[in-house]
């Protein structure tokens, strides 16, 4: 059962879906930038970082439109605030992806070969995670019963990323011979920011779960 949509609310529903689409594209642009950086293709990596900036800006435009439309009285009051908070939480995902891309491009951390494979896996998991998040947003309006399973996948994938975060941090601070402590800190920063992308997705999944529960119970 989807959210009951009145005629005047169809446009805002499309904006919410398009916003989720742009958030997904922003995250995937960052992951592409990360992969290229790990492959020592810095110039191509920067192109995808710039692309993530443009996509995040477009997502922000839709978020502002959605905010205005919400305040004009779209949806029932019991759902309106929950939707507003959910859209904001989804938007935070794009913000974090953009920030992480900036750190990668501006700081240019020296990444040891020993952890490159793990970072690539983190990127793959992040891409899968945002796909489920986007599907969950769409299914609030298309097939709400699917939202719970999709949000469980978001949480599962976030947990998988966490495992690689601790694995790579342990290697950086306890196993690898990195001469400068500042380089260890830079690596720690980029890894934690990658982790923050999926953390933001988990926050958004909680919001979507709350809406789905309100509508089904």
């Amino acid at each position: 059962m989807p959210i009951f949509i009145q005629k005047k609310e169809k446009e805002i529903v499309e904006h919410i879906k398009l916003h989720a689409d742009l958030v997904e594209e922003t995250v995937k642009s960052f992951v592409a930038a990360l992969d290229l950086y790990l492959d020592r293709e810095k110039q191509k990596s920067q192109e995808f970082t710039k692309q993530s900036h443009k996509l995040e800006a477009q997502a922000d435009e839709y978020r502002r439109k959605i905010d205005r439309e919400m305040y004009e009285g779209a949806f029932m009051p019991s759902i309106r605030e929950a939707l507003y908070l959910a859209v904001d939480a989804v938007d935070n995902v794009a913000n974090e992806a953009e920030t992480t891309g900036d750190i990668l491009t501006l700081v240019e951390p020296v990444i040891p070969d020993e952890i490159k494979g793990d970072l690539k896996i983190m990127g793959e998991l992040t891409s899968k995670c945002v796909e489920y998040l986007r599907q969950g947003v769409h299914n609030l309006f298309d097939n709400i019963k699917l939202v719970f399973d999709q949000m469980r996948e978001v949480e599962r994938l976030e947990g998988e990323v966490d495992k690689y975060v601790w694995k790579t941090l342990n290697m950086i601070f306890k196993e690898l011979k990195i001469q400068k402590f500042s380089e260890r800190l830079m690596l720690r920063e980029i890894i934690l920011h990658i982790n923050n992308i999926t953390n933001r997705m988990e926050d958004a999944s909680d919001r979507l779960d709350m809406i789905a529960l309100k509508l089904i119970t």
Side-chain angles (χ1 to χ4, degrees):
M1 179 180 72
I3 294 175
F4 178 73
I5 301 168
Q6 299 182 39
K7 186 176 180 181
K8 66 178 182 179
E9 294 165 347
K10 286 184 178 179
E11 185 175 3
I12 188 173
V13 167
E14 289 307 308
H15 288 166
I16 291 171
K17 289 180 177 181
L18 285 168
H19 175 262
D21 294 346
L22 287 164
V23 169
E24 179 187 27
E25 290 179 47
T26 303
V27 171
K28 289 193 170 184
S29 289
F30 161 70
V31 172
L34 175 63
D35 279 343
L36 287 163
Y37 187 89
L38 294 171
D39 292 336
R40 300 180 182 177
E41 297 279 358
K42 288 187 179 180
Q43 188 172 352
K44 290 181 181 179
S45 174
Q46 289 173 9
E47 291 172 7
F48 277 95
T49 300
K50 290 176 184 176
Q51 184 178 340
S52 72
H53 268 274
K54 292 177 183 177
L55 291 164
E56 191 277 335
Q58 291 174 35
D60 265 348
E61 288 179 17
Y62 275 104
R63 181 186 54 79
R64 286 190 287 270
K65 284 180 185 178
I66 293 162
D67 288 352
R68 288 194 298 270
E69 291 162 341
M70 290 285 191
Y71 280 116
E72 289 171 2
F75 300 106
M76 297 293 290
S78 60
I79 297 300
R80 187 187 309 141
E81 183 179 1
L83 265 178
Y84 171 82
L85 292 172
V87 170
D88 193 54
V90 172
D91 194 68
N92 286 338
V93 174
N95 294 341
E96 190 61 42
E98 180 191 36
T99 298
T100 310
D102 287 345
I103 293 169
L104 189 70
T105 297
L106 297 174
V107 176
E108 293 190 351
V110 178
I111 300 178
D113 289 339
E114 291 88 343
I115 65 169
K116 285 183 178 180
D118 290 330
L119 292 184
K120 279 183 174 285
I121 292 171
M122 287 171 66
E124 291 169 8
L125 292 168
T126 300
S127 285
K128 290 178 183 176
C129 197
V130 78
E131 287 171 9
Y132 281 110
L133 183 66
R134 173 196 166 277
Q135 291 169 20
V137 172
H138 279 248
N139 280 321
L140 278 178
F141 309 100
D142 299 335
N143 190 345
I144 205 164
K145 289 182 179 179
L146 296 177
V147 173
F148 299 108
D149 287 340
Q150 288 160 346
M151 295 309 97
R152 275 196 293 271
E153 280 300 302
V154 169
E155 292 174 6
R156 183 186 69 79
L157 290 163
E158 189 274 338
E160 288 298 311
V161 171
D162 279 349
K163 293 176 186 177
Y164 283 95
V165 170
W166 292 111
K167 178 185 176 184
T168 51
L169 289 179
N170 186 68
M171 291 179 70
I172 288 165
F173 286 99
K174 293 183 178 180
E175 298 178 19
L176 298 179
K177 293 181 179 179
I178 302 171
Q179 291 184 346
K180 294 182 180 179
F181 189 71
S182 59
E183 290 182 1
R184 296 178 194 266
L185 292 179
M186 283 190 287
L187 286 169
R188 175 182 179 273
E189 183 175 12
I190 191 69
I191 289 167
L192 291 181
H193 272 282
I194 296 170
N195 189 32
N196 280 342
I197 300 172
T198 48
N199 286 344
R200 298 290 178 268
M201 290 188 217
E202 186 179 32
D203 293 342
S205 75
D206 290 341
R207 296 290 181 183
L208 296 179
D209 267 340
M210 287 173 60
I211 298 171
L213 282 169
K214 282 185 176 183
L215 292 166
I216 284 181
T217 55

